[in-house]
Amino acid sequence: MALSLSKKRSKSWKRAAEEHGFFPSCSISKLLHRVPLILLFLVLVFLWSSTTTTISGHIVHVCVSSRKLNHLYCLSAGAQPNFGIPLPLVNASSVDDHKLEVSIRESGPTVDIKDGEALVTQDIPCYNVQGNKKNLIVHNIVDNNKLSEFELAVKVLEEQLQVHRSWRSNSKSLTTCDGRGVYVYDLPSKFNKDLVAQCRDIVPWLDFCQFFRNEALGEPIPKLGKGWYNTHQFSLEPIFHSRVLKHPCRVYNENEAKLFYVPFYGGLDILRWNFKNASPDVKDTLALELIAWLKLQKPWASNSGKDHVFVLGNISWDFRRKNDSSWGNTFLILEEMQNPIKLLIERQPWHVNDIGIPYPTYFHPHSDEDIISWQFKIIQSSRINLVSFAAGARLHSPDNIRSVLINQCTLASTGTCKFQNCSSGGCDQPESLIELFLESEFCLQPPGDSPTRKSVFDSLVSGCIPVFFDPLTAYYQYSWHLPEDHGKYSMFIDQEEVRKSKVNVVDWLMKIPKKARDDMRRYIVYELLPGLVYGDPSSDFEQFQDSFSITMNNLLEKVTRLE
C-alpha cells in the first residue's frame, strides 16, 4: 500500500483527528505509562520495519511494507503525480494555440504549443492513444481539425522505429568487430563507482548494496537453478558496464575506436535524490559535471558526440525534468545530449536517439547449455492457469485499468485466473513470480507508473504470453529485441474497451485456441528468449546472442554508417 499526502494536508488531518477524539493525547499518554518498555520497543521496531516516510519536493511518500524496495510506487521513477507523455513538437508553427495531449494514463498534463515551446497547462479533453498489433489507432476526442497533427506525430514515431531497425546487424556471429573498436572511458569515480559505494544511502528504507553483489546481478537464487539472481530493475548500468569491459572489440587507444562508451551511472544518480529534499540544481550537478568533462575529451569534439553511447538504467522521463517538477534531472534535454545514443529501459517515443533495450531479468546464463536447459524446462512446464496477473492495485484510482483487471481476475471461475497481490508483499520474492509465470498461459501486462514494466520480460523469459493494453508498453520501445510482427509473441486488448467493461479479458483469452498459444510460446522460447536476457559478466556463448550482444552489434553497425 502506498499513500501520498501533502505536508499541509497531513497536519490538518491530524488536527481534525484530535478534535474528533481519534488521537486523545491524554489517553495515549496514560496508556503509554502502562505498557512495559520492552513491549513498546518491539512495537516501535515493527512500525519502523514496515513503514517509511520520505520527503521529495512537496510530497510526503508513506510507503508501507516496502523496505525491501519491491513496492513499485516507492521505487519507480515514473511514480510522480500526473505522469504523462507529451506530444512532440511537430510543425509547431502550424499548431499555435492548439492544445494536445497523449493520454497514457488516466490523466496528465496537457501540452500547449506556443512559439515552438511546449508548456504544461491544465487538463482538458484529450487525444486517446490506442492500438492493435501493428499500428496505433488514433481516436479524435477534441475535434477533427487537429487530428492530422496527431497522426503526423504517430507517423514520426513509426518512421523512427524503422530507422532503429535499419541499424540492426545482419551478422549471426556473436561479435562483429571488423576493425570497429569500442573505447571505454575511464571516468572519474564520482560518475560511477562512488555512486555504487553509496548503496546504503540510495533509498532511505533499504540497504541497496545487496543488489550490487556479484557485479550487480544480486544474490543467487538456488531454488530457480543455475544463472538466477535477485537482480534489481535499475541495475542495468553496472551490469552493462561489466560486459563492455570484457568485450572482444574493446580497444585502449581512442584512435582505434569507432564507438565510445561512457559508463555514467545516471540512473543511480537520480535514484539517490528521488526521496531527498534536494534542490533541482543539486540534482543536476553531476550530469553537468560529466558534460564539462566530456567536452575536454578529443573524441567527443571530433564527431559532436554522435559516436558516443550512454546506458541509463531508468526510464527516459527521469532525465527530462520539467520546469514545474522536482522529479529527476535535465540530463537528456541538455543540448550536448541530443547527438549521442542513449540506451534506456524505456525510451522517449519521439526521440530517435533514445533506444529501448530490455529490463534486466533474474536470469543471467553463463553458457549455451544454461539457456537450452531453461528452454527445456519452460516447454515442459505445466500451465495450470490460463491467465495470471501480478500487480499492486491503484487504490487512489478505482477506474485504473489495473483495478478493473484485478476485479475481472478475482471474479473469474476457479483455476482460470490467478491474481498475485504485489501490494501485500506477494511479489517480494523472485521465486514466487517466476513460478506464477511458469504456470500461466497468459500474463496480463497493463501500464505501470509509466508505460513499460520489468514484468514483461520476466513473463517472456518464463514462456508466459504477455497481454498488452497500451502499445507503448513494448511495441514502440524495443525495436532491436522484439519483432515488428507483434502477433508472434503477444496479445493486444484495447484498454478503453476493458476500462468501460466492454471486454472481459479472461473470457476473451479463453477463446484463443491451444495451437495458437503453443505456437506463440515456441516462438518466445526458441526465437526471443536468448536475446532478452543479459548473460553473466564472464558468459561465453557460441550458439546464442544475448541482449548485450545484440545491442553491441547493432551499435557498431550504426556508428559504422556515420562514415
Side-chain angles (χ1 to χ4, degrees):
M1 179 178 68
L3 305 174
S4 291
L5 303 172
S6 69
K7 301 173 188 176
K8 183 176 180 181
R9 181 182 175 186
S10 63
K11 290 181 180 178
S12 61
W13 178 86
K14 183 177 179 181
R15 189 182 306 113
E18 291 177 348
E19 292 174 356
H20 288 82
F22 292 115
F23 289 144
S25 57
C26 59
S27 299
I28 291 177
S29 177
K30 293 178 181 179
L31 179 63
L32 289 176
H33 284 297
R34 299 177 184 177
V35 178
L37 288 178
I38 185 64
L39 180 59
L40 178 60
F41 175 76
L42 292 175
V43 170
L44 291 175
V45 169
F46 170 77
L47 291 174
W48 177 86
S49 65
S50 62
T51 66
T52 295
T53 302
T54 58
I55 301 175
S56 175
H58 301 293
I59 300 296
V60 176
H61 303 281
V62 182
C63 304
V64 181
S65 299
S66 62
R67 298 194 69 84
K68 292 183 179 179
L69 201 63
N70 285 325
H71 193 296
L72 293 183
Y73 178 89
C74 301
L75 300 185
S76 176
Q80 56 182 310
N82 294 323
F83 174 78
I85 298 179
L87 197 70
L89 298 179
V90 180
N91 287 343
S93 60
S94 65
V95 291
D96 286 348
D97 301 324
H98 286 193
K99 293 183 178 180
L100 308 173
E101 179 191 87
V102 178
S103 179
I104 299 303
R105 298 176 63 191
E106 286 65 42
S107 64
T110 56
V111 176
D112 184 7
I113 301 176
K114 186 175 182 180
D115 298 328
E117 297 293 333
L119 305 174
V120 178
T121 62
Q122 71 280 1
D123 289 340
I124 59 171
C126 63
Y127 289 110
N128 184 30
V129 180
Q130 299 174 13
N132 57 22
K133 292 180 182 176
K134 289 189 177 180
N135 299 295
L136 283 177
I137 300 174
V138 182
H139 297 269
N140 185 6
I141 302 178
V142 186
D143 65 59
N144 292 329
N145 294 329
K146 301 176 184 177
L147 184 59
S148 61
E149 296 296 337
F150 188 90
E151 288 179 321
L152 182 57
V154 173
K155 184 173 182 292
V156 169
L157 187 156
E158 293 177 338
E159 288 176 349
Q160 287 185 356
L161 289 177
Q162 291 301 326
V163 171
H164 289 179
R165 294 186 182 101
S166 74
W167 294 335
R168 288 192 293 200
S169 172
N170 294 323
S171 174
K172 299 299 182 182
S173 63
L174 299 184
T175 56
T176 53
C177 298
D178 297 331
R180 299 177 296 182
V182 178
Y183 183 82
V184 182
Y185 279 110
D186 184 15
L187 295 180
S189 61
K190 65 181 177 180
F191 297 117
N192 43 50
K193 295 177 183 178
D194 290 354
L195 294 172
V196 173
Q198 298 174 30
C199 53
R200 287 181 175 81
D201 299 322
I202 288 179
V203 178
W205 59 88
L206 177 76
D207 182 354
F208 212 77
C209 300
Q210 61 179 301
F211 299 111
F212 292 133
R213 293 175 187 140
N214 298 305
E215 299 190 72
L217 301 186
E219 295 289 354
I221 309 176
K223 184 177 179 181
L224 289 177
K226 185 179 178 182
W228 287 85
Y229 298 84
N230 187 12
T231 305
H232 195 270
Q233 63 178 346
F234 295 151
S235 296
L236 181 61
E237 293 156 350
I239 289 174
F240 209 95
H241 189 189
S242 295
R243 293 290 300 278
V244 176
L245 291 175
K246 300 175 183 178
H247 195 276
C249 300
R250 184 184 178 188
V251 296
Y252 297 87
N253 184 341
E254 61 187 38
N255 295 321
E256 298 174 3
K258 297 295 183 184
L259 179 68
F260 296 84
Y261 170 67
V262 185
F264 172 46
Y265 297 175
L268 296 185
D269 178 38
I270 282 181
L271 194 59
R272 65 176 175 153
W273 297 120
N274 273 346
F275 303 103
K276 297 177 183 176
N277 196 22
S279 68
D281 290 344
V282 171
K283 295 179 181 181
D284 291 340
T285 297
L286 197 61
L288 292 173
E289 289 179 356
L290 175 68
I291 295 299
W293 187 90
L294 284 171
K295 285 182 175 180
L296 300 177
Q297 312 308 310
K298 182 179 177 181
W300 177 269
S302 63
N303 216 354
S304 302
K306 293 179 181 179
D307 48 9
H308 284 57
V309 61
F310 295 77
V311 176
L312 300 171
N314 287 44
I315 66 175
S316 181
W317 312 102
D318 289 348
F319 305 94
R320 300 179 184 279
R321 188 183 68 235
K322 298 175 182 177
N323 292 333
D324 61 343
S325 173
S326 62
W327 196 273
N329 65 27
T330 57
F331 183 49
L332 292 190
I333 63 176
L334 297 175
E335 181 180 354
E336 295 86 350
M337 286 302 298
Q338 302 316 300
N339 285 335
I341 308 160
K342 285 82 66 175
L343 305 179
L344 305 111
I345 54 177
E346 178 177 320
R347 65 183 294 262
Q348 210 277 21
W350 290 280
H351 280 247
V352 71
N353 285 332
D354 269 23
I355 299 175
I357 62 175
Y359 281 79
T361 67
Y362 302 116
F363 186 38
H364 302 278
H366 175 75
S367 64
D368 295 337
E369 289 72 22
D370 292 344
I371 294 178
I372 294 170
S373 176
W374 182 248
Q375 288 174 324
F376 180 77
K377 182 174 182 177
I378 294 176
I379 292 298
Q380 296 299 313
S381 180
S382 176
R383 306 279 165 175
I384 61 177
N385 305 311
L386 175 69
V387 187
S388 67
F389 185 30
R394 292 296 188 264
L395 301 179
H396 62 285
S397 181
D399 294 330
N400 185 290
I401 186 173
R402 286 193 177 199
S403 300
V404 178
L405 292 175
I406 290 171
N407 289 335
Q408 290 188 2
C409 185
T410 54
L411 293 175
S413 57
T414 304
T416 306
C417 187
K418 184 172 182 180
F419 170 61
Q420 192 146 313
N421 191 349
C422 296
S423 295
S424 59
C427 304
D428 288 356
Q429 300 301 320
E431 303 96 307
S432 63
L433 283 174
I434 299 303
E435 182 179 355
L436 176 68
F437 296 155
L438 281 172
E439 294 177 346
S440 306
E441 295 272 9
F442 297 101
C443 291
L444 306 184
Q445 302 293 351
D449 294 318
S450 67
T452 65
R453 298 184 80 198
K454 176 182 182 294
S455 178
V456 169
F457 296 96
D458 290 332
S459 65
L460 285 168
V461 169
S462 304
C464 187
I465 301 166
V467 182
F468 297 123
F469 303 86
D470 187 319
L472 289 176
T473 300
Y475 299 162
Y476 294 94
Q477 291 288 340
Y478 310 105
S479 55
W480 285 356
H481 297 82
L482 295 177
E484 188 174 3
D485 185 353
H486 312 301
K488 288 184 176 181
Y489 69 95
S490 68
M491 305 299 297
F492 188 91
I493 303 176
D494 181 349
Q495 63 178 317
E496 288 304 307
E497 297 294 300
V498 177
R499 192 179 285 112
K500 295 176 182 177
S501 299
K502 294 182 179 180
V503 174
N504 183 291
V505 173
V506 178
D507 292 344
W508 191 84
L509 293 173
M510 288 179 67
K511 299 175 183 179
I512 307 300
K514 183 178 185 303
K515 183 181 184 305
R517 303 197 302 259
D518 291 343
D519 288 345
M520 293 172 72
R521 181 164 298 105
R522 279 192 291 269
Y523 181 83
I524 290 170
V525 172
Y526 295 116
E527 300 295 329
L528 289 187
L529 187 153
L532 300 179
V533 299
Y534 296 91
D536 70 40
S538 60
S539 55
D540 183 18
F541 303 114
E542 295 181 359
Q543 182 177 343
F544 301 108
Q545 291 191 61
D546 72 343
S547 180
F548 172 80
S549 297
I550 291 173
T551 301
M552 290 301 296
N553 283 346
N554 292 348
L555 285 172
L556 290 171
E557 181 72 19
K558 181 192 184 306
V559 295
T560 299
R561 298 188 183 188
L562 290 176
E563 300 176 355

